[in-house]
Amino acid sequence: MARLAIVHMVHEARGLDVHPQTLARFAAQSDESSVKILEVIYRDEITHVAAGLRWFTYICAKEKRDHVSTFHDLVKQHFKGYLKPPFNSEGRKTAGMTEEWYLPLVRPS
């Protein structure tokens, strides 16, 4: 479960977060071929996050565990530091990951 939480729901979700800025950099240079490739990668990342989320919630349901609190516990145990904004809330939501999953793991202000 820790692997699902960290790889799919933290690292791959971060790929969704950096997409808008990365895409903008390539677009600003008129690198249309890279922009098209980044769009393919972005759609692929959404499916990775969605699959991780789907399996994670499935396992939690089988084990009668709360999926969000279990995710928070595993991230705190297996990921160094806090999750860092900015978040691509639209991309995360498309993958099924609402703010309740990640906002509580941001460094308190």
Side-chain angles (χ1 to χ4, degrees):
M1 287 201 28
R3 183 180 187 283
L4 286 171
I6 303 305
V7 173
H8 294 281
M9 299 164 65
V10 173
H11 291 303
E12 301 226 41
R14 188 66 189 156
L16 299 177
D17 298 337
V18 301
H19 173 77
Q21 299 91 330
T22 305
L23 188 72
R25 287 184 193 135
F26 283 95
Q29 299 300 316
S30 299
D31 186 347
E32 292 305 315
S33 63
S34 293
V35 167
K36 288 178 184 175
I37 291 168
L38 287 170
E39 288 295 350
V40 170
I41 292 169
Y42 179 69
R43 288 189 301 273
D44 199 38
E45 292 288 6
I46 288 173
T47 65
H48 295 167
V49 174
L53 188 66
R54 186 171 45 253
W55 278 107
F56 188 86
T57 55
Y58 172 80
I59 293 168
C60 285
K62 292 287 269 183
E63 296 180 357
K64 297 182 180 3
R65 300 167 87 178
D66 178 73
H67 53 275
V68 174
S69 63
T70 300
F71 174 71
H72 292 168
D73 292 344
L74 289 171
V75 171
K76 289 173 186 174
Q77 183 179 357
H78 297 284
F79 184 75
K80 184 178 179 182
Y82 296 94
L83 301 187
K84 296 178 181 136
F87 298 108
N88 179 352
S89 298
E90 182 180 323
R92 285 174 176 255
K93 187 175 182 182
T94 300
M97 183 176 268
T98 54
E99 291 180 340
E100 68 180 336
W101 288 91
Y102 55 92
L103 288 183
L105 297 169
V106 173
R107 180 187 304 272
S109 317

